[in-house]
Amino acid sequence: MIDRRQVRDAFSRHAGAYEALVVVQRRVQQRLLTELATLGLTPQQVIDVGAGTGMLLRQVADRYPTAQLLAIDLAPGMCQAARQRGAVHAAVAGDAEALPLRSESADLLLSSSTFQWLPTLGPAFAEAQRVLRPGGWFCFALFGAGTLHELRDSYRWAISQLGRGQDRTHSFHDQEIVAQNLVATGFVDCRVWSEREEEIYPDVPDLLRAVRGIGAGTTAPVSGGTLAERRTMLTMMDRYRDAYGRSDGIPATYGVIYGLARRG
């Protein structure tokens, strides 16, 4: 299970380098904005849960210039970066499962590449339902089943071959679970779908450095402190290259789940 304090501290430490390293996350945000445009909204209060450095809200500001924009992130370092980069009216440290907001205080609640950190989705979706005004929209994207499957499969193969260690890879939600949780928390007009993104790295160590560099080291086993751990990591990297390597480098797959839903 993800240690929330570890996630918070890791993302705070890497806030300064975050935007230079995220590639897939930028594409996911653009896709989310494309879908958002189809709704024809004119929101006055917009909240981004897991806003990070405010990348998504800076684009939202261009689309809705009169809206009040609030960034919420678990990591204080990310909130500070969002304030420094401008566009947001406020950036507050807060938990997706206990938002520091009044009920029925927003017209639009966004979230991108955040909810995959949560062991269950129900509490966060219930909070989104609570803070939205009747008729308000919940628009989000999260990394789901299939994300980094090459890395996870290679690691599991390594520990099985070496006969030691435990599976420390992160488990991702699937599309059906996301849809079920939306309906269970009272959302209507729900639309949930999945898309695949891919990023190419020169080699497995480059992928691992990128994962660590954005603070997401808890999504995969990227440590190697002891001799036994180092051997496991080296075995995993060899397996990754043999099983998935291509002439243009090492692929990393991301399964992205998108959701649009309205508070009834």
Side-chain angles (χ1 to χ4, degrees), residues 83-100:
R83 287 190 291 267
Q84 291 172 343
R85 286 168 170 79
V88 303
H89 295 91
V92 179
D95 194 315
E97 296 182 342
L99 295 173

Side-chain angles (χ1 to χ4, degrees), residues 90-112:
V92 179
D95 194 315
E97 296 182 342
L99 295 173
L101 300 168
R102 299 190 314 275
S103 297
E104 300 186 3
S105 58
D107 306 302
L108 173 62
L109 192 147
L110 305 171
S111 183
S112 180

Side-chain angles (χ1 to χ4, degrees), residues 143-159 167-173 207-208 218-221 236 239-240 244 253-255:
F143 292 124
T147 296
L148 297 177
H149 73 85
E150 303 94 341
L151 181 58
R152 292 184 291 120
D153 292 347
S154 298
Y155 181 75
R156 290 166 183 162
W157 186 90
I159 61 177
D167 185 357
R168 296 186 287 111
T169 57
H170 183 57
S171 295
F172 294 89
H173 304 292
L207 164 62
L208 299 180
T218 48
T219 60
M236 179 275 289
R239 171 65 177 181
Y240 200 132
Y244 300 105
T253 299
Y254 296 82

